[in-house]
Amino acid sequence: MQALLYLVGSLLSAVLVASGSQYASTCNLSPLGAGQDDTDQVMAAIEQCGDGGLTVFEEGEYNITRKMTWNLTSSRVELHGYLSFQPDYEYWLQNSSTYRVVYIQSQASWFIVTGSDFEIDAYNTGGINGNGQPWWDYFTTVPRLDGDGRPLALTVYQATRGTISNFLIEAPPFWCNCVAESSDIVYDGMLCNATNTNPEFYGQNIVPNTDGIDTYRVDNLVLRNFDITTGDDCIAVKGNTTNMLASNITCRGGNGIAYGSLGQYVDLPDYVENVTMTDLHVLRINPEIQPNMGSGVYFKSWDGTVNGSPPDNGGGGLGYVKNVVIRDAFLDNVTTPIALYQTNGAQSGDAPSKYQFANLTLLSFTGTYQKNPLVDIACSPAAPCPDLTFENINVTLLSGGTPAYECENVLSQTGLPVTCNSTVSSS
Ligand SMILES: *[C@@H]1O[C@H](CO)[C@@H](O)[C@H](O)[C@H]1NC(C)=O
Ligand SMILES: *[C@@H]1O[C@H](CO)[C@@H](O)[C@H](O)[C@H]1NC(C)=O
Ligand SMILES: *[C@@H]1O[C@H](CO)[C@@H](O)[C@H](O)[C@H]1NC(C)=O
Ligand SMILES: *[C@@H]1O[C@H](CO)[C@@H](O)[C@H](O)[C@H]1NC(C)=O
Ligand SMILES: *[C@@H]1O[C@H](CO)[C@@H](O)[C@H](O)[C@H]1NC(C)=O
Ligand SMILES: *[C@@H]1O[C@H](CO)[C@@H](O)[C@H](O)[C@H]1NC(C)=O
Ligand SMILES: *[C@@H]1O[C@H](CO)[C@@H](O)[C@H](O)[C@H]1NC(C)=O
Ligand SMILES: *[C@@H]1O[C@H](CO)[C@@H](O)[C@H](O)[C@H]1NC(C)=O
Ligand SMILES: *[C@@H]1O[C@H](CO)[C@@H](O)[C@H](O)[C@H]1NC(C)=O
Ligand SMILES: *[C@@H]1O[C@H](CO)[C@@H](O)[C@H](O)[C@H]1NC(C)=O
Ligand SMILES: *[C@@H]1O[C@H](CO)[C@@H](O)[C@H](O)[C@H]1NC(C)=O
């Protein structure tokens, strides 16, 4: 509800910003052209007009060769063109070439937007070109680790009352978006496209970790009108995401829409509360381009034992996900429509997770799936799940069989066959 109220507020302020006259200054840019470096002129424009001003980028490609922070205060940016981050991954992978502001998994950023009361509108003609293909090719032979320095394409960090609209992100090397330590942020119109075009790798997923957006330590967040082509999570709701509304989200390929992973940090509880999603479309695409289409929606936590330490390993973290509503999901040929597991990073003999999932409501799921069970819920014996509600879960098994439902350690559910909450084991 708070998210909905905020949305109305943001539309009003967008109208005010559109009236124009209040800008202290206006900066206009056009690309310098082939072989030139645009970073200086971009930084100069934002320094001059980012506080109270309007910055207008003409269409075209702006060559960005080093890390960049935009601090926008009462400011509007019209980004008709692409910020094209130079494809020299050896340069970007040096520690000093990126920022490390995203605490979770120590992820790297090459472009940070911070500040307050701003709008960036990219008019569906601009945004970011991540030039990811050489990165994806390179990381087919090098291990992909969290925190290894692959930069996420757009980081919104310590921002309040900001809107990002009609924004295209082509070929992100790593996560397409992350919003962290922020509040009252609206994304309205976001395209992320991690599509391998190298025939050598057709039929393989060479774009792991190209998540559409990860949310972390953020309150009052609206995600609307997303179109995400990925080899990983379409949306990943991570720790301390509260009062979030996502609507009209299209996910093409990858793992599906995730709540998690949560509980990675033993000393840092992850609280996720009031996260509503509506009008979801989760679609399998040409397997030559992207072979995976895992889940519609899934929930995941680490297990109860600490194995190694973040960014790559962890576990034992506490917290909860509660008051989740997911409504109107269309799934096309996903492997498993709805899943929950609490065994991320698990090794044999580990303690069960104490991370709590509660009060999850899933309504009106349609479409098709590949493999039973339709609902695969495995809550931890150390934190059985109360208050799971299902209604109109009508997804068709493509092979023609009868849907199956599995519920382990579910304290109470409604809407699935009653046998589905009958396997509570003792902890
Ligand atoms: C970007 O700028 C660098 C440094 O000046 C230059 O070497 C490179 O050719 C430019 N890239 C493009 C696509 O213009
Ligand atoms: C951003 O700009 C505002 C206004 O000029 C200033 O108060 C704030 O400290 C700046 N933030 C950062 C991170 O530089
Ligand atoms: C680069 O930064 C990472 C993460 O902060 C750190 O683990 C690593 O040791 C650093 N590498 C170098 C060469 O400084
Ligand atoms: C993503 O990029 C690929 C390759 O350029 C293109 O074929 C595809 O249409 C794009 N997808 C979307 C949804 O824009
Ligand atoms: C849903 O979002 C897509 C962009 O991803 C947009 O083209 C479409 O118009 C939106 N649909 C509605 C009903 O707003
Ligand atoms: C989440 O917020 C609580 C306070 O509400 C804090 O104690 C906890 O450390 C936060 N967790 C993360 C991951 O920031
Ligand atoms: C979740 O929503 C309820 C009902 O609107 C509200 O009372 C509660 O404070 C919200 N939780 C958080 C963490 O904001
Ligand atoms: C469950 O979540 C819904 C949606 O946020 C909320 O309205 C309801 O009060 C919650 N129920 C409980 C028992 O907390
Ligand atoms: C579902 O996806 C598989 C690939 O995983 C493909 O072989 C099959 O033709 C698809 N079925 C439908 C009905 O789209
Ligand atoms: C389930 O979906 C199928 C195929 O879309 C439809 O024919 C059927 O009427 C639906 N059943 C219910 C109970 O909604
Ligand atoms: C399963 O859940 C239903 C609805 O919450 C409840 O009435 C029933 O007693 C539960 N069954 C078991 C075996 O726990």
Side-chain angles (χ1 to χ4, degrees):
M1 184 49 76
Q2 261 167 293
L4 282 171
L5 290 175
Y6 176 66
L7 184 59
V8 173
S10 81
L11 290 174
L12 287 174
S13 63
V15 169
L16 289 175
V17 170
S19 68
S21 53
Q22 81 276 33
Y23 296 117
S25 51
T26 301
C27 295
N28 292 291
L29 294 87
S30 48
L32 294 176
Q36 304 296 304
D37 185 343
D38 291 283
T39 320
D40 284 344
Q41 67 150 344
V42 169
M43 287 311 299
I46 296 297
E47 261 150 48
Q48 195 188 326
C49 293
D51 187 354
L54 168 68
T55 309
V56 181
F57 290 74
E58 270 178 27
E59 282 189 30
E61 299 253 333
Y62 295 81
N63 183 18
I64 305 299
T65 61
R66 61 178 192 274
K67 67 184 175 187
M68 175 168 83
T69 297
W70 290 7
N71 179 12
L72 303 175
T73 309
S74 304
S75 170
R76 178 175 172 85
V77 176
E78 301 186 347
L79 181 61
H80 297 280
Y82 284 97
L83 305 170
S84 180
F85 287 78
Q86 60 148 326
D88 180 359
Y89 53 79
E90 284 177 2
Y91 165 74
W92 291 112
L93 286 171
Q94 292 164 31
N95 271 0
S96 59
S97 299
T98 56
Y99 306 100
R100 297 279 174 133
V101 297
V102 173
Y103 183 82
I104 187 157
Q105 297 169 339
S106 313
Q107 307 295 13
S109 303
W110 59 20
F111 178 33
I112 293 172
V113 173
T114 186
S116 56
D117 302 290
F118 60 83
E119 173 157 17
I120 302 175
D121 192 335
Y123 293 89
N124 288 321
T125 58
I128 290 170
N129 187 346
N131 293 302
Q133 188 69 50
W135 291 83
W136 304 328
D137 292 352
Y138 174 65
F139 276 91
T140 59
T141 57
V142 169
R144 302 177 189 95
L145 299 173
D146 282 314
D148 62 10
R150 282 171 296 157
L152 60 103
L154 175 57
T155 305
V156 172
Y157 173 68
Q158 293 186 345
T160 50
R161 295 179 305 276
T163 299
I164 315 269
S165 312
N166 309 312
F167 202 99
L168 312 178
I169 300 183
E170 299 291 349
F174 185 69
W175 296 355
C176 188
N177 285 279
C178 180
V179 53
E181 301 183 28
S182 294
S183 60
D184 303 313
I185 305 295
V186 175
Y187 292 77
D188 185 355
M190 170 61 64
L191 180 129
C192 291
N193 191 350
T195 294
N196 168 47
T197 56
N198 182 347
E200 192 185 340
F201 301 114
Y202 280 174
Q204 301 175 37
N205 177 21
I206 67 157
V207 295
N209 310 122
T210 55
D211 303 22
I213 186 165
D214 282 53
T215 69
Y216 187 64
R217 297 175 171 166
V218 56
D219 185 43
N220 272 340
L221 172 65
V222 175
L223 311 180
R224 288 203 308 173
N225 305 325
F226 275 46
D227 188 327
I228 308 293
T229 302
T230 180
D232 214 295
D233 292 333
C234 182
I235 296 177
V237 178
K238 288 190 155 61
N240 289 20
T241 298
T242 50
N243 302 308
M244 167 176 153
L245 173 63
S247 66
N248 186 27
I249 308 295
T250 298
C251 305
R252 305 177 195 274
N255 296 345
I257 295 173
Y259 288 69
S261 292
L262 297 149
Q264 181 173 5
Y265 289 75
V266 66
D267 51 356
L268 206 54
D270 287 328
Y271 301 123
V272 172
E273 186 175 345
N274 300 341
V275 178
T276 294
M277 299 188 181
T278 67
D279 199 8
L280 309 176
H281 314 262
V282 183
L283 316 174
R284 187 176 291 276
I285 60 174
N286 179 353
E288 210 164 68
I289 300 300
Q290 175 52 247
N292 300 340
M293 188 62 265
S295 292
V297 177
Y298 73 121
F299 301 83
K300 50 180 174 175
S301 83
W302 289 69
D303 84 344
T305 296
V306 178
N307 289 312
S309 49
D312 262 281
N313 301 316
L318 300 175
Y320 53 72
V321 171
K322 66 182 187 188
N323 301 5
V324 163
V325 178
I326 301 168
R327 186 195 306 271
D328 295 326
F330 171 75
L331 314 178
D332 181 16
N333 200 353
V334 303
T335 307
T336 305
I338 297 167
L340 187 155
Y341 58 86
Q342 302 201 237
T343 50
N344 206 349
Q347 297 173 10
S348 70
D350 274 5
S353 174
K354 292 183 178 164
Y355 195 89
Q356 180 75 64
F357 290 92
N359 193 20
L360 314 178
T361 300
L362 294 90
L363 310 168
S364 300
F365 278 55
T366 57
T368 56
Y369 72 107
Q370 289 189 349
K371 192 169 155 285
N372 265 329
L374 193 171
V375 174
D376 189 359
I377 305 279
C379 299
S380 169
C385 300
D387 301 321
L388 306 189
T389 303
F390 300 87
E391 210 178 292
N392 296 327
I393 305 298
N394 182 13
V395 192
T396 305
L397 183 58
L398 279 168
S399 64
T402 328
Y405 305 89
E406 271 179 28
C407 300
E408 234 179 279
N409 303 306
V410 170
L411 278 182
S412 57
Q413 63 81 16
T414 56
L416 298 182
V418 70
T419 48
C420 202
N421 56 342
S422 63
T423 57
V424 177
S425 55
S426 58
S427 56

